[in-house]
Amino acid sequence: MQISEKISALRKSNNMTQAELGTKLNVTFQAVSKWERGESYPDFETLSKMAKIFGVSISYFEDGGENVTETAAIANEAFDGTSNVVGFCKDCGKLVRTGEESCTTPVVICKQCALRRENIKIAQEKERIQQKQQAERAIKAKQQAVIAGALARRNRGLIASIFLTAAFLLVTVITSITNSESAGTTAGLVITNLIFGYTFFAQLFWNGTVVDIILCGGKIVGMPGVIFTLDLDGLVFLIGVKILFAIIKMLIFILTFLFMIFVALLVAPFTFVPQLLKLNKGMEL
């Protein structure tokens, strides 16, 4: 029998209510109810009083203690200061004698429960360390993915720029030969293509400063509001104005787009090296 069952059985066998037992023990009937439901345990002093009230030995509340027959006088000897009983374990509720306790303050804990507590603590610490390691691995994997993505984008830009620059160089050379340009002029065009063209095409694939410059025209052009009346003529006017504004916006975007390509070509040699260094470090542009 569990301690909760023993308390309930002793109370009922003595025709005593929970309130009456609580009064004798100076506790509430709710406390007695919790003991009998196994939700809590009485402390050693309270259990000692209970043993005196029901005329049983303190050992009666141990596992198998209900099979031991002792008189009330023997039971009282457990509380005369000479007994080796320490108290009841806060965790398991078993009677703890001298040498079986792990600690006695602030509550009595037996060695087995103390060991179980330590094992639980160790298991929780291991789980915490594992969770921390998993989080660190996830962060590291994410960082590696970012670095790999940056390096892949760098390589795509450099390789694609080689082919595009070569194509423009071929067109430049063929045009120079067709127009009978001098060797110096042809060489100048080739060098210009190499410096500006290669750095420009590479950064197109990097989605960095060059792309921002080219697309800035579309970002600064907005659509103004239109005032109209809620009738057929007003709706026709609104549609016509919206179409007109869309055409104007497209024309402005095309003009700024072409102009900004020229600006980006001029800027590309100066932004190429800093952005290449960032990509080499796996940084986002």
Side-chain angles (χ1 to χ4, degrees), residues 134-154:
Q134 290 176 354
E136 291 175 348
R137 285 195 294 267
I139 294 174
K140 187 176 181 180
K142 185 176 180 180
Q143 292 174 343
Q144 290 176 343
V146 172
I147 294 173
L151 295 178
R153 190 163 63 253
R154 177 204 65 183

Side-chain angles (χ1 to χ4, degrees), residues 229-249:
T229 57
L230 289 173
D231 53 26
L232 182 59
D233 292 338
L235 294 175
V236 172
F237 171 75
L238 174 64
I239 295 173
V241 171
K242 288 292 185 180
I243 293 174
L244 177 61
F245 283 166
I247 294 173
I248 294 174
K249 181 178 180 179

Side-chain angles (χ1 to χ4, degrees), residues 29-242:
F29 76 91
Q30 291 94 337
V32 177
S33 178
K34 286 185 178 181
W35 297 340
E36 294 185 356
R37 293 198 303 269
E39 295 178 3
S40 63
Y41 298 109
D43 57 32
F44 182 65
E45 182 180 354
T46 302
L47 206 58
S48 301
K49 293 179 180 179
M50 196 183 306
K52 290 181 180 180
I53 292 171
F54 294 131
V56 297
S57 169
I58 191 68
S59 61
Y60 173 80
F61 295 101
E62 288 189 274
D63 288 341
E66 65 273 14
N67 299 321
V68 179
T69 303
E70 296 184 75
T71 64
I74 297 176
N76 292 334
E77 292 179 0
F79 315 106
D80 62 1
T82 61
S83 174
N84 64 347
V85 175
V86 177
F88 282 86
C89 177
K90 178 67 175 177
D91 287 357
C92 64
K94 292 181 179 180
L95 189 68
V96 180
R97 290 185 170 84
T98 303
E100 298 176 348
E101 78 280 5
S102 174
C103 67
T104 57
T105 54
V107 293
V108 176
I109 302 294
C110 68
K111 291 182 178 180
Q112 290 182 344
C113 289
L115 180 61
R116 183 169 61 251
R117 283 188 177 190
E118 185 65 24
N119 291 336
I120 292 174
K121 184 178 179 181
I122 293 173
Q124 290 175 341
E125 181 64 17
K126 287 182 178 179
E127 183 178 0
R128 186 189 67 80
I129 293 174
Q130 289 176 352
Q131 291 176 347
K132 181 180 178 180
Q133 290 175 344
Q134 290 176 354
E136 291 175 348
R137 285 195 294 267
I139 294 174
K140 187 176 181 180
K142 185 176 180 180
Q143 292 174 343
Q144 290 176 343
V146 172
I147 294 173
L151 295 178
R153 190 163 63 253
R154 177 204 65 183
N155 295 337
R156 285 196 301 268
L158 294 176
I159 295 172
S161 183
I162 291 174
F163 290 102
L164 291 173
T165 304
F168 271 82
L169 286 176
L170 181 61
V171 172
T172 300
V173 172
I174 294 174
T175 303
S176 298
I177 294 174
T178 303
N179 296 331
S180 302
E181 298 285 351
S182 63
T185 302
T186 303
L189 291 173
V190 169
I191 293 174
T192 300
N193 275 326
L194 285 174
I195 296 175
F196 293 94
Y198 183 77
T199 56
F200 173 79
F201 291 128
Q203 292 180 76
L204 284 180
F205 290 87
W206 295 348
N207 194 27
T209 304
V210 166
V211 176
D212 292 336
I213 292 174
I214 293 174
L215 298 178
C216 71
K219 296 177 180 179
I220 62 176
V221 178
M223 293 289 287
V226 179
I227 300 176
F228 64 98
T229 57
L230 289 173
D231 53 26
L232 182 59
D233 292 338
L235 294 175
V236 172
F237 171 75
L238 174 64
I239 295 173
V241 171
K242 288 292 185 180

